[in-house]
Amino acid sequence: MNRRARWEIRIFFVAWLIFLFFRAKDPFSFLVLNTFLGYIPIELSFHIGRQRPRAWLFWPLVLLWLLFYPNAPYLLTDLFHLSLLQPYAVTGLLRVTPHLWIYFTYMIISAISCSFLGFWSLNYVSECISLRLGNGHAVVRLLTVMILTFLTSVGLYIGRFLRIHTVYLFLNPEQFIRPLMNMWTPNMWIFVGLMTLIQLFCYWVLYLIMTNSRQPADD
C-alpha cells in the first residue's frame, strides 16, 4: 500500500472516530472504542516492513500486531447489537425507522472498514513473515495465514464472551488467567471453527480481488 493510501486511511479513521464520538449515543457508545481498537492493528501493519534494516523491531511489532488484530474482525460480531433497536415490527417486517438505519449505517461502516482493512493487514503481515521464514514460499504464507486466523478466532472468543479487551491484558493480566484456562469448552471450539471459516472466506475474496487487480484480464 502506497503512502497516499495510508494517509487517506488515517484521515478517514480520525474523522470517523470524531464523528462517532459526537453522534454514537448509548447503548452504542461502545462503537467509538471498538472502532479505535480495530484501527490499531491496521496502523501497526503500516510499520511492519519487509526490509532487513531494523530487523530486531520486526518480531516485536508482529507480536503487538497479533495482540491487537482480533479487534478488527471483532466489529463484525458487534452487528448483533442491532437487536437492541428492536428492528422488527409486530407484523414481522423490518421497521423503516430512520434511527434504526442510521445506527445500522454507523455499525456497517465501522465493521467493513476495520475488518476488510484488517484482512489487508493480515495479508501484508503474512507476506512479510513468509519472506523472512520461507523466502516468500506460498505454502509458508498459507500456513501463516491459517495459524494467524485461528489465533484471531480464539481472541474473538476471549473478547466477545470473556469480555477481556486487549488493553486489559496489559493493565492486569493475572486477573484473567483463570478464565483463560477454563474457556476450552466444545461450544468455544465450535465458535472458533466458525469464525476461522468466516475470516478465511473473507480473506480469500479479498486476496482474489487484490491479485487479479494486478493482472490484465483474460481475453
Side-chain angles (χ1 to χ4, degrees):
M1 186 178 292
N2 59 45
R3 180 177 296 180
R4 177 179 176 179
R6 295 182 184 190
W7 277 106
E8 287 180 359
I9 291 170
R10 288 172 177 142
I11 292 170
F12 162 75
F13 272 102
V14 169
W16 184 240
L17 285 167
I18 293 173
F19 176 83
L20 289 177
F21 180 80
F22 289 103
R23 297 297 302 173
K25 307 301 181 182
D26 288 334
F28 292 94
S29 56
F30 67 85
L31 201 54
V32 180
L33 176 61
N34 287 3
T35 303
F36 173 71
L37 291 174
Y39 168 70
I40 290 177
I42 299 168
E43 178 63 35
L44 287 173
S45 67
F46 293 161
H47 303 278
I48 297 175
R50 303 187 185 97
Q51 296 80 14
R52 288 293 176 181
R54 294 191 299 173
W56 63 275
L57 276 176
F58 178 78
W59 291 111
L61 277 175
V62 168
L63 179 59
L64 190 62
W65 171 86
L66 180 59
L67 287 174
F68 280 96
Y69 175 68
N71 293 299
Y74 182 87
L75 275 99
L76 293 173
T77 65
D78 275 341
L79 295 175
F80 278 105
H81 291 304
L82 287 169
S83 61
L84 297 172
L85 297 173
Q86 298 179 341
Y88 289 97
V90 292
T91 60
L93 300 176
L94 277 172
R95 295 190 292 122
V96 74
T97 308
H99 179 74
L100 167 64
W101 293 101
I102 287 172
Y103 275 97
F104 174 80
T105 302
Y106 293 170
M107 298 193 71
I108 285 293
I109 291 176
S110 287
I112 290 179
S113 59
C114 287
S115 59
F116 279 89
L117 286 170
F119 292 136
W120 170 85
S121 75
L122 171 64
N123 180 70
Y124 177 73
V125 171
S126 64
E127 182 180 355
C128 293
I129 293 174
S130 65
L131 284 171
R132 288 177 179 263
L133 296 182
N135 295 319
H137 197 282
V139 174
V140 176
R141 185 173 180 180
L142 177 61
L143 288 174
T144 301
V145 169
M146 295 182 69
I147 292 171
L148 292 177
T149 303
F150 169 78
L151 293 175
T152 299
S153 298
V154 175
L156 287 172
Y157 181 89
I158 292 172
R160 175 52 64 193
F161 298 103
L162 301 186
R163 307 302 299 165
I164 301 176
H165 283 289
T166 308
V167 290
Y168 296 162
L169 296 177
F170 292 98
L171 298 176
N172 192 12
E174 64 275 6
Q175 178 181 347
F176 305 107
I177 293 177
R178 186 180 297 274
L180 292 176
M181 294 294 294
N182 295 333
M183 73 178 186
W184 308 95
T185 63
N187 286 339
M188 177 268 185
W189 286 112
I190 293 173
F191 175 86
V192 168
L194 292 174
M195 291 306 301
T196 301
L197 178 63
I198 291 172
Q199 290 181 85
L200 288 176
F201 174 76
C202 292
Y203 170 81
W204 172 68
V205 172
L206 183 64
Y207 180 80
L208 287 179
I209 294 172
M210 290 190 300
T211 54
N212 283 280
S213 64
R214 303 170 188 167
Q215 302 173 358
D218 296 332
D219 294 332

